[in-house]
Amino acid sequence: MSATDVISFSRGAPSLDIVDIEGIKTASRKALEEDPGAIAGYGNAYGFPKMREWLANKHKVSVDNVLVTNGSLQADAFLFDLMVNEDTPVIVERPTYDRTLLGLRQRKGQLHPVTVDDDGINVEELEALLKSGVRPALAHIIPNFQNPAGVTLSETKRRRLLELASEYDFMIFEDDPYLDIRFRGESLPTMQEMDHNDRVVYASSFSKTVCPGLRTGYMIGPKEFIDRVAKLAGTVYIAPNNFAQATIYQFAASGDIDRSIATVCQALEERVDQLATSLRKHLPQAEFVTPDGGYFLWVDLGEGVDVAKVAPRAAELGVQVVKGTDFVLQGGESSLRLAYSAVPAERIDEGVRLLAQAVEETKA
Amino acid sequence: MSATDVISFSRGAPSLDIVDIEGIKTASRKALEEDPGAIAGYGNAYGFPKMREWLANKHKVSVDNVLVTNGSLQADAFLFDLMVNEDTPVIVERPTYDRTLLGLRQRKGQLHPVTVDDDGINVEELEALLKSGVRPALAHIIPNFQNPAGVTLSETKRRRLLELASEYDFMIFEDDPYLDIRFRGESLPTMQEMDHNDRVVYASSFSKTVCPGLRTGYMIGPKEFIDRVAKLAGTVYIAPNNFAQATIYQFAASGDIDRSIATVCQALEERVDQLATSLRKHLPQAEFVTPDGGYFLWVDLGEGVDVAKVAPRAAELGVQVVKGTDFVLQGGESSLRLAYSAVPAERIDEGVRLLAQAVEETKA
């Protein structure tokens, strides 16, 4: 089987048909015409000024609160560099983004996983943990269309998290790359917007609204924190990529980004609806929450299914998935993550059918 | 005085007139036409395949030995992350690049500075240090047109360094961003080329041959080392910027990069010659080696001159320089670094005249 025949539910990346290459071409040309000096030079660790202004305006904060990074994972890395040392207690969601777990483990943080319910992290469980004496420096939260669970944190829980952060003196890292990729329902306010006590460091990205290959993300936080990150970033890479930033700025300022987001959302809604339909048809035992946005759907296949066996068999059949165990410290053996961002709707049913075949063939 | 009136000898960046913006425009358009999928996606931590192949070919190594980074300072950072912990002995040149010192100090490395002579690091002084029992993990060497000293490491010394590295079991970090910016004399072989014992990790950059704003550098090293860096890079930023890499690849493959290098070299030669002439005229007591390439000229103004006073006074007069003390752990009070990369030849004499005025006004 050739690589192009593979149906990949594994990687959270867009298919090429939903990336506006022509728009990026126009934007990069405009960037080189309008800001050649900025593109030719180093720039500074905070980011390209027009990009920062655009972001400050979007998030209704001061430019001083904004710092652009080479993708939003780089924002995670800087935050962890500054806040997480050996044995630093950190709250993580269970399940959560595998690269978050990896980054925290590299720094030998003391991880405290808290269950993610259908409306986001279980705040009672978190509160009990805090009452038991755990004093985290940081809680890592993916509020919208969580990776991998696909669920969204309710407004009530957002408020409660902010209260707990103030009461127990920790920071919330609101990791929000999927913010604008909502294809159903009403947007909720970010914790960054709701916060009045400098309790939130927020990060997002253009990987889902423009494309990943321009590697541009950003952080929003208290000025003194942003200044510390800038100082660190300056010693690591001097400045984030000015060419990518100036291109994205033009793409955003022209309004092309809104069209791009609409294209992405329409395609993803179609894909997730097909995915849910196919799961009900081919894997009726599967439990899942159909997301209102984002890239991921989390499936539990129930007892008797060992995804450690299902995943390699599915790969042999031409379907790639990611094992649930990658997203938790313990457990997750009967779960898996399906990314629907890269699979055109017309191939999804075939993918799920083959996945169901792998489940059937590997049953205990 | 407006910022544009300032004569900046402070930053190692090109002036806009020697950056081929039109060539970059053409290259980015071609990149989006030929490799839209690569630009739309994440890519991988090793870098854009065509870029790696081009680099492997340039340096006559295997693709497996090449990894692209977001600028070459990022290569330093990864190398230091992997090799330098608290109290790790590291050889540094004296003087050396200020950001190198900063990166090593952040990691609490034990720094051993070794004098830089007119033909590069003093290998006898290094050998004496090794004989005294110092066992470095790493020696950081800028072989061509050293920053800040402007001098080039002789071929004899390159060979001797490799012998010492084998004998005393340390790695050489050959930090070589100025390799192609030679405007006089013959190129010397890199230590990476001369090495037969996997003793060299090499880094270079497109910041001087294309421009800094595309933030693209690279490392060459033993495969197992490159694999370790890739693993780390994947946890920090997933992949280096594919858009910048695909653009630079097109710029390089079309041959535009050779024209760009010729433009840069011609301008820099003119600037350095003017700078040397103006220094002899306005500051006859200045001691310096006129570089055969690169961006920097290092000046010693002799006893009685305190650059800590000269630099701020010069800035008031509209001329920016960097104090010698930034590039050494101790000493350097009567030295300063002049970057001639950003100052058009016709403004250099005025800049040096004002610098001489600042020296005169601040004399003890």
Side-chain angles (χ1 to χ4, degrees), chain B residues 3 6-11 311 314-315 318-322 337-339 355:
Chain B
V6 169
I7 297 175
S8 175
F9 291 120
S10 64
R11 202 159 192 202
V319 176
Q320 295 171 337
V321 301
V322 184
R337 187 190 77 172
L338 299 174
L355 176 61

Side-chain angles (χ1 to χ4, degrees), chain A residues 39-41 99 106 212-214 235 241, chain B residues 39-41 106 212-214 234-235 241:
Chain A
I39 292 168
R99 292 187 200 261
Q106 275 176 335
L214 270 66
T235 69
N241 196 295
Chain B
I39 293 169
Q106 275 176 335
L214 271 66
T235 69
N241 196 295

Side-chain angles (χ1 to χ4, degrees), chain B residues 105-233:
Chain B
R105 278 164 154 172
Q106 275 176 335
R107 291 163 182 86
K108 304 195 173 94
Q110 187 193 103
L111 302 191
H112 296 274
V114 175
T115 306
V116 171
D117 298 326
D118 291 358
D119 59 350
I121 192 170
N122 186 315
V123 288
E124 288 78 26
E125 187 180 321
L126 171 59
E127 188 173 5
L129 197 66
L130 296 166
K131 283 196 169 148
S132 79
V134 171
R135 288 294 171 267
L138 196 68
H140 178 267
I141 306 286
I142 305 172
N144 292 307
F145 328 119
Q146 202 249 15
N147 179 4
V151 302
T152 291
L153 187 65
S154 70
E155 191 169 343
T156 312
K157 285 188 169 182
R158 291 176 193 226
R159 190 161 294 117
R160 187 66 189 131
L161 271 177
L162 286 168
E163 288 167 3
L164 291 171
S166 285
E167 189 175 342
Y168 290 93
D169 191 24
F170 62 87
M171 294 296 288
I172 296 171
F173 180 31
E174 185 172 17
D175 194 359
D176 198 16
Y178 311 104
L179 172 70
D180 291 320
I181 308 302
R182 175 183 280 278
F183 38 76
R184 271 196 283 260
E186 289 296 310
S187 289
L188 298 177
T190 66
M191 288 182 279
Q192 190 280 319
E193 278 169 72
M194 298 164 75
D195 174 34
H196 300 293
N197 300 306
D198 281 357
R199 285 288 150 198
V200 177
V201 174
Y202 180 92
S204 191
S205 164
F206 291 99
S207 290
K208 279 78 190 175
T209 55
V210 185
C211 72
L214 271 66
R215 306 300 312 113
T216 300
Y218 58 97
M219 297 178 98
I220 294 174
K223 181 181 182 304
E224 59 276 17
F225 184 81
I226 292 296
D227 289 344
R228 286 176 63 205
V229 175
K231 202 172 166 190
L232 176 59

Side-chain angles (χ1 to χ4, degrees), chain A residues 7-138:
Chain A
I7 297 175
S8 174
F9 291 121
S10 63
R11 203 161 191 200
S15 50
L16 182 53
D17 60 301
I18 57 174
V19 174
D20 181 9
I21 293 290
E22 284 306 313
I24 295 170
K25 201 185 285 178
T26 304
S28 62
R29 183 174 49 71
K30 272 198 231 166
L32 283 158
E33 280 163 7
E34 286 184 24
D35 291 297
I39 292 168
Y42 280 94
N44 68 63
Y46 290 92
F48 178 55
K50 288 182 183 175
M51 183 84 267
R52 288 178 81 201
E53 276 164 37
W54 189 88
L55 287 166
N57 191 50
K58 172 179 169 68
H59 287 280
K60 298 178 182 58
V61 294
S62 157
V63 165
D64 293 340
N65 300 114
V66 180
L67 178 138
V68 186
T69 53
N70 292 319
S72 74
L73 187 63
Q74 178 76 69
D76 288 49
F78 284 142
L79 180 73
F80 296 165
D81 281 344
L82 291 176
M83 293 193 69
V84 181
N85 296 308
E86 195 166 341
D87 296 327
T88 302
V90 179
I91 303 293
V92 293
E93 296 177 296
R94 188 186 62 198
T96 194
Y97 184 35
D98 48 349
R99 292 187 200 261
T100 297
L101 292 178
L102 201 60
L104 290 168
R105 278 163 155 175
Q106 275 176 335
R107 291 165 181 86
K108 304 195 173 96
Q110 186 194 106
L111 302 192
H112 296 274
V114 175
T115 306
V116 170
D117 298 326
D118 292 358
D119 60 350
I121 192 169
N122 186 315
V123 289
E124 287 79 25
E125 189 180 320
L126 171 59
E127 188 173 7
L129 197 64
L130 296 167
K131 282 196 171 151
S132 78
V134 172
R135 289 292 170 269
L138 197 66

